[in-house]
Amino acid sequence: MNIVLHRLTLPLNHPFTIARGSMTQQESVVVELQHEGISGWGEVTENSYYGHSCDSIIASLSHVEPLLERYLNDSPESHWETMRVALNNDMFALSALDMAAHDLHARRLQQPLWKNWGFQIDRIPPSSFTIGIDRIEVMVEKLNQQPGWPIYKIKLGTDRDIQVVTELRQHTDARFRVDANCGWTAEQTVINSKVLAKLGVEFIEQPLSADAKNDQKKMVFELSALPIIADESCQVSADIETCRSFFHGINVKICKCGGLTPAKSMLQQARQWGMKTMVGCMVESSIGISAAAQLLPLLDYADLDGAILLSEDPASGVVIDKGRVHLSQQPGTSAGLR
C-alpha cells in the first residue's frame, strides 16, 4: 500500500471571520491511500488554535508508512490505537489517515461507507449554512446570496450580537443556530439566550471558553433558555462524560477526535446518554465533507457547508443542495480529487 500526500490551498468566496480571527484561504492536507488501483481519501486542514500546521501534519504522517499494510486485513477500527501511537498522538494527522482508511476499506468491499457501517439513510438531518462575522449589512448579503437553506448558523462573539440576529431575522424565516466560539461570559449567555429564543434560534454552540470554571458552565447549563452544544469543550472521546454535566449536546469535529473511528463511537455514546448529537466541519474540500456526511444517520444536527464556502472546490463527492445532503450509493465516501 502506498500513501500520497497532497497539500492544497483552498480559497474562500468571502473572508470568513469567527470570534478568534479571519481567513481568506485555508491550507489543507489530503491523504490518499493507494492499493491495487483503488484510492481511499482523507483530509485535514491546518489550525493554529489547536497547534497544527500542514508541515507538522505531514511530518507526523511520514512515520506510518511501514504500518499501512495492516489496513488490508482488518477494519480501520482495529488499528486506530496503533496508528495513534505511531503518530505520537497527533489527532489531526490521525483523522486524515483514519478517514482515508475507512474510505479505502469500504471501496474494496464495493459498498458506500454508511452502508458498510450498517446505517440507514431514510432519515438524515439537513445541513446548516454558516454566516461568518462581518458588518451587519455584509452578513445580510451573505444570507441573501444563499437563499432557501432551512437552517443558518450565525457566528457571534461581537459587541452587537443581538442586533446581528435581529437584523438577519428580518430576511428569512429559516431556523437559526448561533456559535459564539468561546466569546461570551456566563452572564451574557443566559441573558442572550432569552432574547435569541424569541428570535427563532435553536441552540447556542460553545458560548464559554473551554477552560471556563465549572460553576460558570453549570450556571449556563441550568439557566439558559436554549440548549447549549459543546464544541471546543468536546475534542476527544474522554471529554464526553465531562460534557454530560454541562452541555445538552456535543458537536464532534473529526479532525479533533482523530478520525471517523472515534467520531462514530462518541456520537453513539452521546446518544445513549440522551445528549443531542452534531457533526461540524472546518473550511475544507468535499473530501472531508463527504467523510463527515457518512455519520449523518447518528445526528440530530449537521453543519457540513465547509466546501460550499470555497470559491473553488478541488474535490468532488457528496452533494449538498440548500441543506439537503445527497449521500451517494458509490463505494466509500464517494469523494476524491478532481
Side-chain angles (χ1 to χ4, degrees):
M1 184 186 295
N2 296 321
I3 182 171
V4 179
L5 303 181
H6 307 266
R7 185 166 180 167
L8 308 178
T9 297
L10 307 174
L12 278 72
N13 272 318
H14 303 283
F16 186 75
T17 302
I18 64 174
R20 290 192 295 268
S22 300
M23 68 170 76
T24 58
Q25 63 185 33
Q26 176 68 70
E27 301 300 315
S28 171
V29 175
V30 168
V31 172
E32 181 184 4
L33 295 180
Q34 301 173 334
H35 181 70
E36 295 182 345
I38 302 174
S39 289
W41 301 87
E43 180 182 19
V44 67
T45 57
E46 69 176 15
N47 191 300
S48 59
Y49 180 78
Y50 293 103
H52 295 276
S53 67
C54 287
D55 288 339
S56 69
I57 292 164
I58 290 170
S60 293
L61 288 167
S62 68
H63 299 296
V64 297
E65 190 160 6
L67 302 174
L68 295 178
E69 297 294 322
R70 300 188 182 199
Y71 282 136
L72 297 178
N73 299 318
D74 304 291
S75 67
E77 289 93 341
S78 303
H79 302 292
W80 186 86
E81 181 63 22
T82 298
M83 298 303 180
R84 182 191 67 78
V85 173
L87 290 166
N88 197 27
N89 213 37
D90 184 336
M91 293 305 210
F92 271 52
L94 180 57
S95 71
L97 178 65
D98 184 71
M99 193 183 293
H102 275 281
D103 187 28
L104 180 64
H105 183 71
R107 287 177 192 255
R108 293 179 69 212
L109 295 173
Q110 289 292 298
Q111 284 191 325
L113 182 51
W114 57 265
K115 184 176 287 187
N116 180 241
W117 285 340
F119 292 165
Q120 302 292 323
I121 59 171
D122 52 333
R123 291 186 179 181
I124 58 175
S127 173
S128 56
F129 179 81
T130 304
I131 300 174
I133 294 172
D134 213 314
R135 302 191 314 277
I136 293 178
E137 61 270 24
V138 175
M139 296 178 75
V140 170
E141 182 181 351
K142 291 178 181 178
L143 185 149
N144 289 334
Q145 287 175 354
Q146 291 285 342
W149 286 68
I151 311 156
Y152 294 93
K153 187 165 100 166
I154 306 165
K155 293 287 189 178
L156 299 178
T158 73
D159 58 1
R160 59 189 189 284
D161 286 341
I162 298 301
Q163 185 182 354
V164 166
V165 180
T166 300
E167 181 59 33
L168 289 174
R169 175 50 71 209
Q170 307 307 309
H171 299 268
T172 180
D173 293 326
R175 278 178 284 166
F176 285 163
R177 297 164 181 170
V178 301
D179 183 0
N181 279 115
C182 309
W184 293 348
T185 66
E187 291 76 11
Q188 282 178 306
T189 303
V190 172
I191 293 170
N192 288 348
S193 72
K194 297 174 183 178
V195 180
L196 293 172
K198 295 177 181 178
L199 289 169
V201 171
E202 191 173 17
F203 63 70
I204 301 171
E205 186 177 337
Q206 194 71 42
L208 308 184
S209 65
D211 59 359
K213 294 182 179 179
N214 285 345
D215 62 336
Q216 299 294 294
K217 295 178 184 177
K218 196 70 171 178
M219 171 185 168
V220 168
F221 180 67
E222 293 178 348
L223 299 181
S224 172
L226 292 170
I228 305 297
I229 307 298
D231 182 355
E232 285 85 350
S233 290
C234 189
Q235 297 183 34
V236 296
S237 299
D239 294 330
I240 298 181
E241 189 161 5
T242 301
C243 287
R244 187 181 179 189
S245 300
F246 302 116
F247 296 90
H248 303 93
I250 60 169
N251 179 10
V252 173
K253 298 282 183 64
I254 295 170
C255 62
K256 299 178 193 177
C257 69
L260 291 170
T261 294
K264 182 157 68 77
S265 176
M266 291 169 71
L267 294 166
Q268 290 168 332
Q269 180 65 74
R271 288 168 71 89
Q272 288 179 11
W273 284 340
M275 301 177 76
K276 293 295 186 181
T277 55
M278 176 178 176
V279 163
C281 64
M282 301 303 190
V283 175
E284 54 194 308
S285 81
S286 286
I287 290 175
I289 298 300
S290 298
Q294 308 302 305
L295 297 164
L296 279 165
L298 295 177
L299 306 186
D300 296 297
Y301 314 124
D303 180 32
L304 300 177
D305 64 339
I308 296 171
L309 300 174
L310 302 178
S311 61
E312 183 178 351
D313 187 354
S316 60
V318 164
V319 174
I320 301 178
D321 180 17
K322 296 190 183 303
R324 184 180 179 186
V325 185
H326 299 271
L327 280 171
S328 175
Q329 295 286 343
Q330 295 178 22
T333 68
S334 77
L337 288 177
R338 297 182 190 276

